[in-house]
């Protein structure tokens, strides 16, 4: 297996991304050959490889590597890149199960894993079952990547503590996401709690902490990184929620109707429901969460989000959180190239169209 | 949290089981209180606690503790019991996802997790999604149990290697189990491969290896333990397959029609299909894998298994493997109480009615 080495230029985000992708590809290629040798099914490794190469922002691996730099990490970063790759493999687990739970048909412009297998065999339940297992394997393999990264035992123990907390947080976040539609649509505090667990902690805070652990970071730095990561993560997810309603499928790779059809209780919908007049509220209650929702229906929901000012308020919330993240970043005592890269990532996460 | 200590009497299987159950209960109680403090849903920990206390043979935890004894482990076994509990928590993950994939309605005489949640909210897809997440959480928490067991770093590293291999094996086993029904029913080699991955390695071999690792076992002992564990595990699963067709639901806690309705390709069905005359073969092809299969249909399938001698052959296979396991056990140089307990477990696994 090729061992990419990570030098000073590793705040070059494109280079980090290429190294992470190489680790993932090599790992899955080894898994595919191992399966071949033991007459085991090849499509588990192959499907994961296709899934991972179809796209993705690699935000979590990048933040992991930058957390390492922020804490003064330098020199050979092979183990760091492998840890970053493990986070991406874990993310594949999350997305594959998430797509199944959300009944999503496409991801990254490709059929989702459960649809892919269901289409191949003409059997929906088989597709769902295969997606459960391929997701489970991604989780198991993310651990294997982590444990074979070459970390000294004391550092691995610290890293495992962060990873174990991260997993619990994201699974609780997903569970909250599943259950909030059973509560009132107006409850924007509930929608914010989902965002905090599902995204702010999982996508931003914990990857930075993972990286910082690998440079044996001081305790204070974790807190300082959290002050940057948590508002950034909230802004990231609020942007995601807006893209789920206003985005262009050719840019996001996801159908624009899914979130509305699924009836997710997002912050923007909660705000709209709070401010809606009776006619607007009736329209939201009638259209949201119905699998038959069409483009015309979506346009009418969007009109309510615009007219109630809910969309504008969420744009304000994104801007506020983005500013908070940048202010917090100025207080983090980390090397200037790491600061610059964290600033760049923040801009990309908040201003994106995909 | 109460710390059970494990002394010489830990080859007393009932005592080990009680200690494992206490660790699981205390762990989940701590998780429930932690969720309460952070306004997170309480039903994840509560559902897992109900699932784990509803029953289960605790075979994997017992084998883990006995693997430790076999390799000369003695004295304070707190970390060993916690590891054994982690294996049981991992098993909860396997079963919860397995029941969903198999569309099983009951387990241990109770509704399965997906049915429980579906019944509570009157929503099948919500039940399936909750079962995916509660299963995922069981996996995450099994790791937390493992990492907080107090193992010295070098031992934890060795243990993680065994656990990572075990997970890959059981997930491949489940994947094979899912896909074999797409192949010919007569392929009993495929059915045996499922058994090896899904059960022999996962249920018997790896738990023993986990325990042996915790006593810093010599390499030879792993091989010797495998010679006992693999035939035993095959016998265990062959018995399970027979109970799936011939068992009494009040003893097994599972509906007797599930395996036949699901159309699982088991060894006994493969042998029957190989030997069936055209009329018998037609009957198998018509009845197996149909959700409408009733008790009369099951009786007709059983008649074919009896008439073709497939049932008798599988009983012979169980007896042969049981004998192999016992012979291999005689060659394992381990303390007599551990040998006696392993002998007892083998008898229980093979001769059981539930």
């Amino acid at each position: 297996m090729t061992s990419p080495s990570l030098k000073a230029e590793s705040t070059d985000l494109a280079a980090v991304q290429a190294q992470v992708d190489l680790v993932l590809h090599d790992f899955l290629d080894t898994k595919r050959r191992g399966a071949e040798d033991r007459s085991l099914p090849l499509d588990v490794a192959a499907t994961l490889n296709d899934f991972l190469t179809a796209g993705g922002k690699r935000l979590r691996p990048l933040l992991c590597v930058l957390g390492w730099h922020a804490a003064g990490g330098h020199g050979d970063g092979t183990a760091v890149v492998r840890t970053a790759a493990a986070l991406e493999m874990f993310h594949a687990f999350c997305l594959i199960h998430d797509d199944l739970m959300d009944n999503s048909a496409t991801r990254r412009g490709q059929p989702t894993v459960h649809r892919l297998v269901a289409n191949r065999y003409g059997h929906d339940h088989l597709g769902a079952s295969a997606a459960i297992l391929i997701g489970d394997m991604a989780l198991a393999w993310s651990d294997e990547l982590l444990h074979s990264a070459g970390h000294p035992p004391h550092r691995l123990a610290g890293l495992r503590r962060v990873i174990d907390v991260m997993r619990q947080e994201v699974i609780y976040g997903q569970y909250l996401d599943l259950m909030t539609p059973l509560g009132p649509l107006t409850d924007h505090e509930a929608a914010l709690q989902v965002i905090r667990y599902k995204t702010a902690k999982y996508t931003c805070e914990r990857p930075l902490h993972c990286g910082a652990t690998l440079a044996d970071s001081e305790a204070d730095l974790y807190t300082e990184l959290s002050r940057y990561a948590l508002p950034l993560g909230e802004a990231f997810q609020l942007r995601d929620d807006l893209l789920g309603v206003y985005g262009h499928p050719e840019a996001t790779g996801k159908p624009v109707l899914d979130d509305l059809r699924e009836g997710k209780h997002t912050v923007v919908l909660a705000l709209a429901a709070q401010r809606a007049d009776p006619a607007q509220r009736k329209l939201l209650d009638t259209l949201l969460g119905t699998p038959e929702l069409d483009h015309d229906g979506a346009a009418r929901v969007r009109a309510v989000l615009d007219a109630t000012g809910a969309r504008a308020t969420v744009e304000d919330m994104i801007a506020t959180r983005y500013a908070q993240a940048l202010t917090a970043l100025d207080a983090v005592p980390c090397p200037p190239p790491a600061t610059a890269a964290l600033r760049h990532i923040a801009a990309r996460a908040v201003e994106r169209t995909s």
Side-chain angles (χ1 to χ4, degrees), chain A:
Chain A
M1 184 179 293
T2 321
S3 292
S5 81
L6 192 73
K7 300 275 161 48
E9 74 276 14
S10 65
T11 49
D12 171 352
L13 301 182
V16 172
Q17 183 159 344
Q19 290 171 329
V20 166
D21 288 353
L22 188 60
V23 170
L24 290 169
H25 179 78
D26 283 351
F27 179 84
L28 289 170
D29 194 51
T30 306
K31 285 297 178 194
R32 192 188 52 72
R33 281 184 282 113
E36 207 159 23
D37 292 345
R38 282 167 295 160
S39 305
L40 288 167
L42 305 183
D43 40 351
V44 177
T47 306
L48 281 175
N49 192 60
D50 291 348
F51 182 84
L52 284 161
T53 51
K57 287 177 268 297
R58 304 292 189 259
L59 185 54
R60 296 152 198 86
L62 292 173
L63 287 171
C64 173
V65 171
L66 291 174
W68 179 66
H69 280 297
H74 60 274
D76 179 16
T78 310
V80 182
V81 168
R82 208 168 162 88
T83 305
L87 292 181
E88 190 64 24
M89 186 71 87
F90 179 78
H91 192 50
F93 147 79
C94 288
L95 294 180
I96 291 168
H97 282 189
D98 191 49
D99 285 340
L100 177 59
M101 293 187 284
D102 287 353
N103 278 319
S104 301
T106 59
R107 154 89 57 191
R108 299 171 177 172
Q110 306 290 326
T112 48
V113 171
H114 64 280
R115 290 307 322 153
L116 187 83
V117 180
N119 294 342
R120 188 180 302 153
Y121 297 105
H123 190 328
D124 281 353
H125 189 71
L126 188 73
S129 298
I132 291 174
L133 290 172
I134 293 172
D136 291 344
M137 193 67 102
L139 173 49
W141 284 348
S142 80
D143 268 352
E144 211 181 307
L145 271 162
L146 210 62
H147 301 143
S148 59
H151 299 298
H154 80 279
R155 209 173 275 162
L156 181 59
L159 181 61
R160 284 289 349 177
R161 276 191 290 276
V162 180
I163 297 271
D164 287 349
V165 168
M166 177 192 83
R167 288 181 178 183
Q168 173 175 296
E169 285 168 348
V170 70
I171 297 170
Y172 267 132
Q174 293 285 71
Y175 198 84
L176 287 167
D177 203 22
L178 190 67
M179 294 298 175
T180 41
L182 301 175
L185 181 60
T186 48
D187 188 352
H188 85 278
E189 270 309 314
L192 273 171
Q193 196 195 21
V194 174
I195 283 187
R196 284 187 194 117
Y197 278 88
K198 198 183 76 169
T199 312
K201 288 169 167 293
Y202 165 61
T203 303
C204 295
E205 184 188 39
R206 299 307 178 191
L208 279 167
H209 286 183
C210 283
T213 304
L214 299 181
D216 301 325
S217 167
E218 304 285 331
D220 285 353
L221 186 69
Y222 291 97
T223 314
E224 287 160 341
L225 288 172
S226 295
R227 289 202 188 104
Y228 157 81
L230 292 175
L232 176 64
E234 288 190 27
F236 177 83
Q237 184 61 47
L238 291 169
R239 172 62 64 215
D240 215 57
D241 290 346
L242 288 183
L243 287 171
V245 185
Y246 292 95
H248 298 286
E250 62 275 23
T252 62
K254 291 184 273 198
V256 71
L257 300 176
D258 274 15
D259 278 17
L260 298 175
R261 282 183 178 165
E262 191 61 21
K264 292 257 177 231
H265 283 201
T266 58
V267 173
V268 68
L269 289 175
L271 293 172
Q274 285 169 16
R275 299 168 183 179
D277 63 31
Q280 290 169 325
R281 181 61 205 256
K282 182 145 182 270
L283 186 145
L284 292 179
D285 289 341
T286 312
L287 292 174
L288 293 175
T290 52
E292 305 79 30
L293 181 89
D294 58 11
H295 284 284
D296 175 56
R300 291 162 70 199
V301 172
R302 280 194 287 267
V304 174
L305 304 190
D306 289 340
T308 54
R311 180 190 192 177
T313 301
V314 171
E315 285 289 358
D316 285 347
M317 290 172 76
I318 294 173
T320 306
R321 281 159 179 74
Y322 179 45
Q324 280 172 346
L326 293 184
T327 305
L329 185 57
D330 289 336
V332 184
C334 67
T339 307
L342 288 170
R343 192 173 287 276
H344 178 70
I345 281 197
R348 223 163 67 171
V350 168
E351 292 159 5
R352 69 206 162 91
T353 57
S354 71

